[in-house]
Amino acid sequence: MPNYYIWTIGCQMNKAESERLASLFEETGYQAIADVKQADIIVLNTCVVRQNAEDRAVHKLQNFKPLKKARPGMIIAVTGCWVESNTDRLKADFPFVDYFFKAGECPPWMDKDKWSQALPEKPQPATYVPIIHGCNNFCAYCVVPYRRGREKSRSMADIVCEVKELSSRGTKEVTLLGQNVDSYGHDLPEKPDLADLLTELNAIDGLCRIRFLTNHPKDMSRRLIETVARLDKVCKNITLPAQAGSNEILTAMRRGYTIENYKKLVSEIRSVIPNVGLVSDIIVGFPSETEAQFQQTVDLLTELRFDAVHLAAYSPRPGTIAAREMADDVPEDEKKRRLKMLESLQEKILTEINADLKGKIVEILVEGKQKGKWFGRTGTDKLVFFTDNVNYTGKLVNLRIDQTSPWSLQGTTKY
Ligand code: SAH
Ligand code: SF4
């Protein structure tokens, strides 16, 4: 039986696409293999959102070169955001690669209809469902719109049908994915929005939880916030990247909102959806960011106390507006210092937020076992571990929280 090996880094969209690719391989008679040296076909699913992700992909690919030399029949394919429309340069630099295909596109050796209908192969308690591809926003630092193209929504009927199928196979939780889920539907004939989609999905029997990400602060509507509050299966968990705390930096980033708008939106979300888990993304060291402007990001995190923050140091991406027009003038050491400062601030905030959960009863969906302990997430996306002899995979379980740390919680079923 021929076999395949997939290597993936990057965002949830990459993970979703790799899961679907794996399922198509299985459907066409391929088997997953853990030892890359023995693989008949290798797919590298890449990310170039920051230089270090790109470096990892290049390094990995270079490691495959001797494998191909030893076994010339092996096929090597590269996808993900590294692959541009014009692949001439990549082909010249990596002549041992058989195929380059763009992120989200059908692999050249596969049937297009099958690709568009592919589902994750193995029934998992929680899985990803892409609802809108691409992005129309062109934030100054971001390479995603150049690599994933313009926004293209999947039809509501397709998504509903897919989630019903997943749920009939045992999936309990879906995370709807898009670079900007607030744009969902604007390009479809009936112009549905995310609130319409959530309402339809909420009615699916057997499905227990619905999440979605990422929201854009300039586009998130009151109607969506109210819909999240109203629908029982929709997790009270919102990913709303602020990116920076200073209005000058937000303007330079072309984010399309002010920090005052952002804070107003957060307080609206928190008043309509009590106990919501809020997640943000922050970039430090964007071109021209001064110490005082960075301090405004510190103030933002201190004031809003997010439940999770994805922190990144600015990395110039060739072709983006910032890389073309602005000097990368914050020294690397200074970026690191700012990053460390926010990391320790966030650690302190999370220590406090999570400590408040001690003694409380939470519901988690058990996703599996790690180092002998069951683990799952609360609706607000807190990671919880517990031990028990019963098989809990795919079950919703109530736990009492006994121990807390900034990054995870420990609970018990016996309370
Ligand atoms: N569509 C989402 C995610 C985009 S990429 C959004 O709008 O937030 C994921 C995260 O990577 C971004 O939120 C941003 O914080 C970070 N990122 C993107 N480009 C970057 C760059 N050039 N340097 C550093 N971080 C970057
Ligand atoms: Fe990139 Fe901005 Fe689009 Fe997010 S919204 S993918 S940060 S351009």
Side-chain angles (χ1 to χ4, degrees), residues 129-181:
V129 176
I131 62 166
I132 176 167
H133 297 283
C135 182
N136 291 359
N137 281 312
F138 292 93
C139 299
Y141 50 81
C142 185
V143 75
V144 171
Y146 301 89
R147 301 301 165 94
R148 287 190 170 269
R150 296 301 80 73
E151 286 168 359
K152 196 165 186 308
S153 303
R154 296 178 64 198
S155 77
M156 283 240 288
D158 256 18
I159 300 166
V160 170
C161 176
E162 178 169 319
V163 175
K164 277 188 179 156
E165 173 65 23
L166 286 167
S167 144
S168 75
R169 295 189 199 173
T171 292
K172 295 288 190 315
E173 176 182 306
V174 290
T175 301
L176 311 178
L177 295 180
Q179 298 300 339
N180 176 3
V181 287

Side-chain angles (χ1 to χ4, degrees), residues 49-50 141-142 179 214 241 243 255 281 283 312-315 317:
V49 87
R50 285 182 287 278
Y141 50 81
C142 185
Q179 298 300 339
T214 301
Q243 307 296 4
R255 287 288 289 174
D281 291 13
I283 297 175
Y314 171 69
S315 167
R317 303 284 63 213

Side-chain angles (χ1 to χ4, degrees), residues 218-234:
K218 74 174 166 51
D219 297 324
M220 194 176 183
S221 69
R222 174 80 189 190
R223 187 173 120 85
L224 177 65
I225 300 170
E226 286 172 354
T227 304
V228 173
R230 179 168 49 84
L231 297 176
D232 59 331
K233 294 183 183 174
V234 176

Side-chain angles (χ1 to χ4, degrees), residues 208-268:
C208 301
R209 285 176 164 188
I210 308 163
R211 300 183 192 275
F212 53 88
L213 51 95
T214 301
N215 286 98
H216 198 301
K218 74 174 166 51
D219 297 324
M220 194 176 183
S221 69
R222 174 80 189 190
R223 187 173 120 85
L224 177 65
I225 300 170
E226 286 172 354
T227 304
V228 173
R230 179 168 49 84
L231 297 176
D232 59 331
K233 294 183 183 174
V234 176
C235 292
K236 311 311 172 202
N237 180 215
I238 303 284
T239 302
L240 191 70
Q243 307 296 4
S246 134
N247 281 333
E248 292 88 7
I249 297 297
L250 287 174
T251 304
M253 286 179 163
R254 300 183 180 228
R255 287 288 289 174
Y257 52 87
T258 62
I259 207 63
E260 291 76 24
N261 299 147
Y262 184 86
K263 286 187 194 170
K264 205 167 145 248
L265 181 58
V266 166
S267 71
E268 194 179 345

Side-chain angles (χ1 to χ4, degrees), residues 346-356 404-407:
Q346 192 55 27
E347 183 169 343
K348 179 176 154 280
I349 292 170
L350 282 179
T351 304
E352 293 165 5
I353 291 180
N354 288 353
D356 280 350
T404 68
S405 81
W407 318 120

Side-chain angles (χ1 to χ4, degrees), residues 32 73 76 84 100 149 187 249 297 311 359 369:
I76 299 182
E84 297 177 71
F100 287 100
D187 53 335
I249 297 297
T297 301
L311 299 164
K369 236 178 181 178

